[in-house]
Amino acid sequence: MASTTPDASQNQESTKNSIIFRSVKTLAESPELTSVPSSYTYATNPDDELVTDPDDDDPIPVIDYSLLFTGTPDQRAKTIHDLGRACEEWGFFMVINHSVPKSLMEKMVDQVFAFFNLKEEDKQEYAGNKNVTDPIRYGTSFNASMDRVKFWRDFIKIIVHPEFHSPDKPPAFRDTCEEYCRKTRELGRELLKGISESLGLEADYIDRTMNLDHGLQIIAANLYSPCPQPDLAMGMPPHSDHGLLNLLIQNGVCGLQVLHNKKWINVSSAPNRFLVLVSDHLEILSNGKYKSVVHRAVVSNKATRISLATVIAPSLDTVVEPASELTDNQTNPAAYVGMKHKDYMELQRTNHLYGKSVLNQVKI
Ligand SMILES: O=C(O)CCC(=O)C(=O)O
Ligand SMILES: [Fe+2]
């Protein structure tokens, strides 16, 4: 795979007082870099420091997707029950035996790599877009103009449904991405049918009420370049995602940690698995029964990490509120106010990314 050589004049912008790198990649590749610049120095909250691998007695839930279709009635019922428990207790699970070919997953990760390896000026074509509904947004950190501390991450976010968009380069990106997005949309919608049933709702309840025929699907590809002092920088700070589910894959380099029972759990994954994160709108719809998972991405000094998140979300105009079937005024009143998905996304974009700070704003 071709790699770009940093070119100081092309990849840096000078302001009155400092030089700003346009991407962490160009910063990480600059020969003079030996330590993390102060603008990236992230102070971890000491309360957050308990980091561990999963406990054998409480393993990360694994869902065998094929049993939803080809299992015996008992196996199917158990899988739906397991899905519900995973959403309730972890807000996170891994999916095996799913419908997305391994070769397509690998091809997509390769294309993401190839995109980040384009010349910076080619990627900058998509930079500067600010609105959550801009079809393609390339950038660095989270919201670089607002972040108090910058995150060690470059990203591209692409809206792929209800309308499909794609960068024109690299040449094979569009076709690979279109197929990958179709397959992951199908996977996400089927998982949501099982999740609907686990809540005691009709299988198509979430699909119908969240208007998934016109649902928003976004892919967010993240590049975490090697960092000279990984303990001092953060790839993505603790946060939960908007949307219903986030289907995540990575390039074989670990870095994702999920918060479970007040501990940060390192997630390692086999190449053919999807890491599925319950996201804020599923928590709202289930009136808090299912919890969106707080997660973060740490960085390494050895390898470049790629992660590719596929967000399956309600249509932009859907007002998401707790399902009336799951609430009653006396014993289980609605715990969240309804909000249009589009407004929620805007709220997330204009807030500092920390924990569940956005979700807390719609909590009653
Ligand atoms: O890189 C990761 O594993 C996490 C990425 C993430 O949290 C996101 O894109 O929302
Ligand atoms: Fe996330």
Side-chain angles (χ1 to χ4, degrees), residues 44-57:
T44 311
N45 182 342
D47 298 344
D48 284 354
E49 272 321 84
L50 214 47
V51 177
T52 148
D53 290 331
D55 189 336
D56 287 347
D57 294 333

Side-chain angles (χ1 to χ4, degrees), residues 222 236 239-241 246 248 256 277 293 295 309:
N222 303 302
M236 279 277 259
H239 69 283
S240 59
D241 297 325
N246 178 354
L248 193 87
L256 176 68
L277 296 94
V293 67
H295 55 287

